[in-house]
Amino acid sequence: MRIVALAGGIGAGKFLRGLASNVPPEQVTVIVNTADDMVINGLHVSPDLDSVTYWLGDVMDRDRGWGRRDETFRAMEELRRFDEDFAWFNLGDLDLATHLLRTRLLAEGVPLSHVAARIAERFGIVPRILPASDDPVTTRVTVVSMGRELDLHFQEYWVRRHAQDEVRAIRYEGATQARPAPGVLESIADAEAIIICPSNPVASVGPILAIRGVREALEERRDVVVGVSPIVGGAPLAGMADKLMPVVGLEVSALGAALVYEGLLAGWVVDEADRGLAPKIEEIVGVRVVVTDTIMRNDEVAAALARSALDLLGRTR
Amino acid sequence: MRIVALAGGIGAGKFLRGLASNVPPEQVTVIVNTADDMVINGLHVSPDLDSVTYWLGDVMDRDRGWGRRDETFRAMEELRRFDEDFAWFNLGDLDLATHLLRTRLLAEGVPLSHVAARIAERFGIVPRILPASDDPVTTRVTVVSMGRELDLHFQEYWVRRHAQDEVRAIRYEGATQARPAPGVLESIADAEAIIICPSNPVASVGPILAIRGVREALEERRDVVVGVSPIVGGAPLAGMADKLMPVVGLEVSALGAALVYEGLLAGWVVDEADRGLAPKIEEIVGVRVVVTDTIMRNDEVAAALARSALDLLGRTR
């Protein structure tokens, strides 16, 4: 069964571990958001690609969520001694190796998709990990801070300023010019199931959909697309999606998240906490909804959740 | 007493610790070779600047000679797992912070001399550390390997290939176009003593002299210039100067090293091992020679050596 997953960071990483244990992993293609990528202190950092890679490669720090297990932070602690301002995006010493490799290869002209494959190979990952695009796409956030409008990189808004600013607008810079990475449209066209992971719909999945041709390709495959709500009981499980969804006119709920994907979905998976919303979502979004435990405390829950998503797809046909 | 020192890496670092303990450190300006600098894995590395900085900042690893004390190598060990070929230039985790800072600031357009000052400040260094130039100067080595001519960056020849290749030629790429960094010519013109540290005359001091105007500025100050031989008993104390000196027609000896600086020197300090050469050097090079212990086993020997160099200068006048 050829499966495509659209993925952001940590939530996707957890979910994908469950998915890859349910199906032959070589049948899985993961299309990953790159709009959080940034160059910081000279290094090209790809937070979502790395989260997915580290989770699938079983080298993630499960408690912290991001980064590598058994990590140390000597380089960044030392950089902080030079300048506090340069160390707001924390990178572990092991993690730095990934960024050094990526930065070097990109500078040599290797496309990001090849770099991602090479990094995945190092961790023995069988599913195919594809950046959504080899071209630059960047989520920019317009905020108001002390009466002034600021245009921030998503990571500056999110990590550096802790999503404290009032957000006026979000845009995916470069998305309409970006070409999907080789294999993205092909794998979508060829998939027997397409899963939208429980990722931030605005910050993580939104940029993927904004890339030229991706939304259209998914629309054509609507009958095999199922999504997992990242919103449980009116709040995101992780991250700060609640800050961004209202900016684009979305209610912070399992319904609001489903509406991002209106016209793209056959099925939608919501948490037990949102059982009451299920009929309304079915009616408004026009999808089949299944209710299950979506709080991925461990790999077993993630595996059951992935199974529910795939089963739902079976039942929608 | 305003003192200028021309410096390469480790030998210079040891010597400068001795010098800075002999004179008011705020009177010392160190002009450092940058022709070993390279961009590797996206990072701008300045080996000689860092050696001088770490030695003067008392954070060097005295046994290893290069890099920081209490260092770990987690990032590079991990990078080596990606690709052995990417990790030939070993950078410690603490050391990485220096390269991240430098890479970032250079990318922002900050001149290398400002970056060097900022790094020196972090380590509480009082002497002024100046790169010889803010413009790129690169030592390139033409070697013959298995019948083929290769054009290598100095570090590729030296560190990656362990100086095993037969060297045909050495050139300082960019040197004649490079402008001395702000303060270089001024400090030379203004110095009461100028010391050429015991550094590789071809790989470390040669590139400094090749920068536009530096040799001429030194010639005018010949009466206050004293050098310390990096060659003891016909071999370099550290490094592989013996491989490079013959390429430019120099005998690997305290005499050969002095000849590099012919026309620039008032005095020359040689080791006890080379006492026999002293009269010949005085005659051929036309300098006053002093014989002393130049093997800098510890700060005390380095301090005595620096004192001998300054005293010699006093006696030449």
Side-chain angles (χ1 to χ4, degrees):
Chain A
M1 187 184 204
R2 292 180 304 280
I3 300 177
V4 166
L6 306 192
I10 300 167
K14 292 183 180 182
F15 179 83
L16 290 165
R17 286 183 64 79
L19 179 66
S21 72
N22 257 302
V23 298
E26 66 278 9
Q27 300 264 28
V28 176
T29 296
V30 188
I31 299 172
V32 185
N33 173 44
T34 58
D36 299 1
D37 286 25
M38 103 190 115
V39 173
I40 186 156
N41 300 318
L43 298 176
H44 186 109
V45 177
S46 297
D48 283 354
L49 276 171
D50 291 345
S51 278
V52 165
T53 301
Y54 294 162
W55 277 86
L56 280 175
D58 197 20
V59 293
M60 73 292 180
D61 186 300
R62 199 181 277 274
D63 300 323
R64 197 173 50 230
W66 57 271
R68 304 249 337 234
R69 195 159 51 227
D70 304 319
E71 186 60 287
T72 49
F73 292 87
R74 306 240 308 156
M76 292 306 283
E77 283 160 15
E78 187 63 19
L79 187 60
R80 191 166 291 122
R81 283 184 202 109
F82 279 111
D83 195 323
E84 186 73 37
D85 252 15
F86 289 3
W88 58 268
F89 199 86
N90 210 358
L91 301 171
D93 299 324
L94 297 178
D95 193 29
L96 275 171
T98 302
H99 311 310
L100 289 168
L101 181 86
R102 181 165 40 230
T103 302
R104 178 191 179 123
L105 293 175
L106 290 174
E108 288 173 356
V110 178
L112 184 61
S113 50
H114 290 223
V115 177
R118 182 148 176 192
I119 294 171
E121 188 188 359
R122 145 82 180 95
F123 294 107
I125 294 169
V126 177
R128 183 178 182 198
I129 296 178
L130 276 183
S133 180
D134 283 335
D135 301 325
V137 178
T138 307
T139 300
R140 305 285 311 186
V141 183
T142 309
V143 304
V144 181
S145 173
M146 304 200 280
R148 275 197 321 135
E149 218 170 64
L150 298 177
D151 175 46
L152 304 174
H153 187 288
F154 174 74
Q155 298 288 4
E156 287 185 294
Y157 161 72
W158 196 257
V159 177
R160 186 179 202 175
R161 299 166 70 95
H162 311 289
Q164 295 294 313
D165 302 297
E166 183 197 330
V167 179
R168 283 277 166 85
I170 296 155
R171 69 184 195 280
Y172 309 127
E173 201 170 77
T176 54
Q177 294 83 51
R179 292 155 302 175
V184 166
L185 296 182
E186 298 80 350
S187 61
I188 290 172
D190 191 44
E192 292 164 275
I194 298 172
I195 302 180
I196 299 175
C197 294
S199 296
N200 187 322
V202 180
S204 297
V205 185
I208 302 177
L209 300 180
I211 290 166
R212 208 165 63 188
V214 173
R215 179 177 277 275
E216 295 72 16
L218 287 167
E219 274 168 356
E220 290 194 12
R221 306 305 317 286
R222 174 181 180 164
D223 57 324
V224 300
V225 180
V226 62
V228 179
S229 176
I231 306 292
V232 172
L237 266 181
M240 297 162 268
D242 51 320
K243 309 263 187 173
L244 296 179
M245 292 177 68
V247 179
V248 293
L250 294 168
E251 176 187 293
V252 182
S253 72
L255 169 58
L259 282 169
V260 179
Y261 309 123
E262 202 176 4
L264 304 178
L265 288 179
W268 187 240
V269 182
V270 304
D271 192 73
E272 304 280 2
D274 295 312
R275 180 176 295 277
L277 274 178
K280 198 173 164 192
I281 296 172
E282 293 205 325
E283 189 193 323
I284 296 179
V285 191
V287 293
R288 184 99 180 239
V289 174
V290 72
V291 179
T292 189
D293 181 3
T294 70
I295 318 265
M296 296 177 283
R297 287 169 298 277
N298 54 47
D299 286 348
E300 290 65 42
V301 179
L305 177 56
R307 174 55 47 207
S308 295
L310 292 172
D311 285 352
L312 173 60
L313 213 48
R315 278 183 284 134
T316 60
R317 285 189 273 198
Chain B
M1 188 183 205
R2 293 180 304 281
I3 299 178
V4 165
L6 306 193
I10 299 168
K14 292 183 181 181
F15 179 82
L16 291 165
R17 285 182 64 78
L19 179 66
S21 72
N22 258 302
V23 297
E26 66 277 10
Q27 301 263 30
V28 176
T29 296
V30 189
I31 299 172
V32 185
N33 172 43
T34 59
D36 298 3
D37 285 25
M38 104 189 115
V39 173
I40 186 157
N41 299 316
L43 299 176
H44 185 108
V45 177
S46 297
D48 283 354
L49 276 171
D50 291 345
S51 277
V52 165
T53 301
Y54 294 164
W55 277 87
L56 279 176
D58 197 20
V59 293
M60 73 293 179
D61 187 300
R62 198 181 277 274
D63 299 325
R64 199 173 49 231
W66 57 271
R68 306 251 330 237
R69 194 158 54 227
D70 303 320
E71 186 59 290
T72 49
F73 293 87
R74 306 239 309 155
M76 292 308 283
E77 284 160 13
E78 187 63 20
L79 188 59
R80 192 166 289 122
R81 285 185 200 107
F82 279 111
D83 195 323
E84 185 75 37
D85 253 13
F86 288 4
W88 59 267
F89 199 85
N90 210 0
L91 301 171
D93 299 324
L94 298 179
D95 193 30
L96 274 170
T98 302
H99 311 310
L100 290 167
L101 180 87
R102 180 165 38 228
T103 302
R104 176 192 181 123
L105 293 176
L106 289 174
E108 288 173 358
V110 178
L112 184 61
S113 49
H114 291 223
V115 177
R118 185 151 174 187
I119 294 170
E121 190 188 358
R122 146 80 180 97
F123 294 108
I125 294 169
V126 177
R128 183 178 185 199
I129 296 178
L130 276 183
S133 180
D134 283 335
D135 301 325
V137 178
T138 307
T139 300
R140 306 283 313 183
V141 182
T142 307
V143 304
V144 180
S145 172
M146 302 200 281
R148 274 196 322 135
E149 218 170 63
L150 298 177
D151 174 46
L152 303 174
H153 187 288
F154 174 73
Q155 298 287 4
E156 287 184 296
Y157 160 72
W158 195 257
V159 177
R160 187 180 203 173
R161 300 167 69 96
H162 310 290
Q164 295 295 313
D165 302 297
E166 182 197 331
V167 178
R168 282 280 166 84
I170 296 156
R171 69 183 194 282
Y172 309 127
E173 200 169 79
T176 53
Q177 295 82 51
R179 292 155 304 175
V184 166
L185 297 183
E186 297 80 349
S187 62
I188 290 173
D190 192 44
E192 292 165 273
I194 298 173
I195 302 181
I196 300 175
C197 294
S199 296
N200 186 323
V202 180
S204 297
V205 185
I208 301 176
L209 300 181
I211 290 167
R212 209 166 64 189
V214 173
R215 178 177 279 276
E216 293 72 15
L218 287 167
E219 274 168 357
E220 290 196 11
R221 305 308 315 285
R222 174 179 180 168
D223 57 326
V224 299
V225 180
V226 61
V228 179
S229 177
I231 306 292
V232 173
L237 265 180
M240 298 163 269
D242 51 321
K243 309 265 186 170
L244 296 179
M245 291 177 68
V247 178
V248 292
L250 294 168
E251 176 186 295
V252 181
S253 72
L255 169 61
L259 282 170
V260 177
Y261 308 124
E262 201 175 8
L264 304 179
L265 288 179
W268 187 241
V269 182
V270 303
D271 193 73
E272 305 280 3
D274 295 312
R275 181 176 294 277
L277 272 177
K280 196 171 166 195
I281 296 172
E282 294 204 327
E283 188 194 324
I284 295 179
V285 190
V287 292
R288 185 97 181 240
V289 173
V290 72
V291 180
T292 189
D293 181 4
T294 70
I295 319 266
M296 295 177 282
R297 286 168 298 278
N298 54 46
D299 287 346
E300 290 66 42
V301 179
L305 177 57
R307 175 54 47 205
S308 295
L310 292 172
D311 286 351
L312 173 60
L313 212 48
R315 279 184 283 135
T316 61
R317 286 190 269 195

